[in-house]
Amino acid sequence: MGIFSKDTLKIGEQVQYILVHKHPAEQEVILPSDKYDFSPFELVRKAFFPTSTSGDTSTDSAVYTLRTFATYSNQQLALPVYVLHQQDTLEIFAPSRAVHLRQLVQEVKEPLQLKANLKLAPVEKRFNWPELLLWVLAILTFLSLIWLVFGQSIRRRYKLYQLKKDNVYFSSRFNAHKDRFEKTGALISIEKGVSLWKNYLTKLEDSAINSFTTKEIVEFYNNDEEINTALRICDKAIYGNLQSEFEGEANLALSMLRRVAKDRYRTHRELTKHART
């Protein structure tokens, strides 16, 4: 059974269509979803209610909120209920229900009487697009000249700014890990410090140092003895889970890594200052 909540409505006004289906309790039914074609209506929202069972009879119900923008007077709707029976699906339609569209526009008698108005109407001044285009081209040309003359200097200054910014951030974080290790002796502080050091040099050298092994890092820096010693002490502390007996060596190793990072920063800064490209 399907019914509308009211008999008449206006264009665009919402109306509820209540669909109720009683069936044997063992029977499985499905009510139309929001993908169903509700023409000539449009679905605004739907509300399903849990199946209620009394004895051998179950009741399924849903309320569909609809609206229409069609203009004909009587608009009908009959929604189906899908009954699942073994391998088949049966379609059972509720009796067709209609609503009457309330017309708000009255008929206009023809011909219409036109009223002449010969007064001049003010016209808004048109925007001067060609002049705007000339200004945009002039500004772009000026900026291009500035870039040609000062672009190299601007790029160099920006790169120096980035180098300094990254170095300040690294130094602050690395010192924090080093201080925490000195106070607590926590091996996690060494691990975080070494990881931060590798990530910083990865960006500074533009090479995937953070994916290198200790041996590969030492080879990358031409078998630098300080780097080799510092990294091996840190590896021994981290992976050997050595703490108190190596605390002094590990602290010294962190200082060595910090010194290496500072030297590499100075080298790149000087290279950037004297770069011609």
Side-chain angles (χ1 to χ4, degrees):
M1 179 185 70
I3 58 172
F4 283 104
S5 60
K6 51 187 174 183
D7 297 330
T8 61
L9 71 157
K10 296 179 288 186
I11 288 180
E13 184 180 2
Q14 296 184 6
V15 63
Q16 280 74 45
Y17 180 91
I18 300 98
L19 180 63
V20 180
H21 180 70
K22 294 181 180 294
H23 57 91
E26 69 277 4
Q27 194 176 65
E28 187 176 356
V29 301
I30 300 176
L31 302 184
S33 68
D34 51 4
K35 295 182 180 179
Y36 184 79
D37 183 9
F38 292 86
S39 299
F41 299 91
E42 295 180 1
L43 178 66
V44 178
R45 60 182 175 272
K46 64 182 185 302
F48 290 102
F49 300 95
T51 302
S52 63
T53 302
S54 178
D56 296 333
T57 302
S58 293
T59 303
D60 284 277
S61 59
V63 176
Y64 301 89
T65 301
L66 310 171
R67 63 183 176 186
T68 181
F69 293 96
T71 56
Y72 44 92
S73 299
N74 288 302
Q75 301 185 26
Q76 298 183 352
L77 181 66
L79 292 184
V81 173
Y82 303 99
V83 179
L84 304 182
H85 180 68
Q86 296 179 357
Q87 301 298 323
D88 295 329
T89 301
L90 304 178
E91 234 181 5
I92 301 176
F93 282 86
S96 179
R97 300 293 182 179
V99 290
H100 179 73
L101 187 67
R102 188 185 309 161
Q103 300 289 344
L104 300 180
V105 178
Q106 303 298 324
E107 294 186 2
V108 179
K109 294 181 180 180
E110 297 288 350
L112 296 175
Q113 298 296 322
L114 301 180
K115 182 178 180 182
N117 184 1
L118 302 180
K119 292 182 180 181
L120 295 177
V123 179
E124 185 178 355
K125 184 179 179 180
R126 293 182 178 179
F127 188 79
N128 193 338
W129 290 104
E131 183 178 351
L132 175 63
L133 181 60
L134 289 175
W135 275 105
V136 171
L137 290 175
I139 293 172
L140 290 177
T141 302
F142 175 74
L143 293 177
S144 298
L145 289 174
I146 293 294
W147 184 255
L148 287 174
V149 176
F150 301 104
Q152 180 179 328
S153 177
I154 293 173
R155 286 193 297 268
R156 183 167 53 247
R157 288 179 180 274
Y158 178 75
K159 188 171 182 180
L160 287 171
Y161 165 76
Q162 282 293 124
L163 286 172
K164 183 177 181 180
K165 178 182 176 183
D166 292 343
N167 181 258
V168 169
Y169 176 78
F170 163 75
S171 298
S172 175
R173 293 283 305 279
F174 190 85
N175 289 335
H177 292 313
K178 186 175 181 299
D179 291 343
R180 191 173 296 113
F181 174 70
E182 289 178 359
K183 293 177 181 178
T184 64
L187 295 179
I188 188 66
S189 298
I190 299 180
E191 186 176 351
K192 289 183 177 180
V194 172
S195 176
L196 179 66
W197 181 83
K198 290 181 179 180
N199 289 331
Y200 172 65
L201 289 182
T202 293
K203 185 175 182 181
L204 186 65
E205 307 286 8
D206 193 20
S207 183
I209 293 175
N210 55 3
S211 65
F212 290 177
T213 62
T214 296
K215 182 179 178 181
E216 290 172 336
I217 295 174
V218 173
E219 290 176 354
F220 180 84
Y221 285 108
N222 301 316
N223 297 312
D224 185 282
E225 186 61 32
E226 186 174 31
I227 296 176
N228 181 44
T229 302
L231 287 179
R232 293 193 182 282
I233 292 175
C234 290
D235 288 346
K236 187 184 298 183
I238 295 171
Y239 301 111
N241 198 24
L242 305 175
Q243 191 166 355
S244 58
E245 60 269 29
F246 281 91
E247 189 170 321
E249 287 186 6
N251 190 42
L252 178 61
L254 291 176
S255 298
M256 293 166 68
L257 292 179
R258 180 174 59 188
R259 183 164 54 251
V260 170
K262 189 173 183 180
D263 290 342
R264 294 306 301 162
Y265 161 69
R266 288 173 177 172
T267 299
H268 279 276
R269 185 181 63 183
E270 290 303 317
L271 290 174
T272 302
K273 282 183 178 179
H274 299 94
R276 293 186 177 181
T277 57

